[in-house]
Amino acid sequence: MEYKIVSGMPEQKILENILQLHHSIFKVKEKSGIESKPNLLFALAIKNGKVAGYKIGYELYKRKFYSWLGGVDPDCRNQGIGSKLMEVQHQYLREHGYRIVQTITKNKWRNMLILNLKHGYDIIGTYTDYLGELKIILEKRLEEDIK
């Protein structure tokens, strides 16, 4: 497995692969304005030339980053790929001056919620979205994670 960071938009073939995987996991086709996000960052797990996992995020504020979208191919789960992607993303963020990373998840995505908690995120709040679904807001202070 190869792990890499892409700052900005990845090449078209990789982006299409990410979007296919995203759709297969979440049943969502649109890119949700991905091109307009500031300081867009992709953490990728590549296996045999294909995206096996991804984390996409962008800058919220000068030192605060939002980890927005992510997933792992169902055929590649339970191999530590999600954890490794998070570690790669957080290392890059620390090296580039970010102090806080935030994410939002749903209770139904239990594996993601548990992964975030295991990696030092704290639940800082909740809200109900326009569909009536509960969203859980998590944050992690990156400087506390330096080894």
Side-chain angles (χ1 to χ4, degrees), residues 1-146:
M1 190 73 61
E2 174 192 357
Y3 293 91
K4 66 186 218 176
I5 291 284
V6 176
S7 182
M9 291 296 284
E11 62 182 69
Q12 189 62 33
K13 180 182 171 191
I14 296 288
L15 181 60
E16 287 171 7
N17 201 217
I18 293 166
L19 293 174
Q20 275 182 331
L21 180 55
H22 185 74
H23 175 66
S24 73
I25 295 169
F26 298 103
K27 311 300 182 228
V28 177
K29 285 188 180 181
E30 72 276 352
K31 292 190 250 182
S32 301
I34 198 168
E35 300 91 352
S36 67
K37 303 299 182 191
N39 294 323
L40 193 60
L41 186 73
F42 292 76
L44 303 172
I46 309 289
K47 182 178 183 181
N48 300 324
K50 187 175 176 193
V51 175
Y54 63 94
K55 287 189 76 56
I56 306 170
Y58 57 90
E59 185 175 272
L60 280 175
Y61 308 107
K62 183 164 176 57
R63 298 193 180 270
K64 187 173 187 176
F65 189 84
Y66 181 64
S67 187
W68 179 33
L69 302 171
V72 174
D73 185 319
D75 294 335
C76 297
R77 291 190 182 154
N78 300 312
Q79 298 176 29
I81 294 169
S83 285
K84 183 66 175 175
L85 285 169
M86 192 177 291
E87 290 167 11
V88 167
Q89 181 192 62
H90 292 180
Q91 182 61 36
Y92 179 92
L93 295 176
R94 278 191 298 277
E95 290 170 0
H96 288 83
Y98 291 97
R99 296 292 174 242
I100 296 172
V101 60
Q102 182 184 90
T103 194
I104 297 173
T105 192
K106 297 178 184 181
N107 197 45
K108 72 179 182 179
W109 304 118
R110 296 268 169 106
N111 289 340
M112 194 69 231
L113 179 58
I114 291 166
L115 181 68
N116 286 320
L117 293 171
K118 282 183 176 179
H119 280 270
Y121 280 83
D122 293 315
I123 296 171
I124 63 160
T126 61
Y127 68 95
T128 303
D129 70 9
Y130 68 96
L131 296 173
E133 291 188 282
L134 180 70
K135 299 282 189 111
I136 303 166
I137 307 165
L138 300 106
E139 280 191 359
K140 176 180 178 176
R141 298 187 78 70
L142 293 170
E143 62 268 17
E144 294 171 3
D145 194 40
I146 297 172

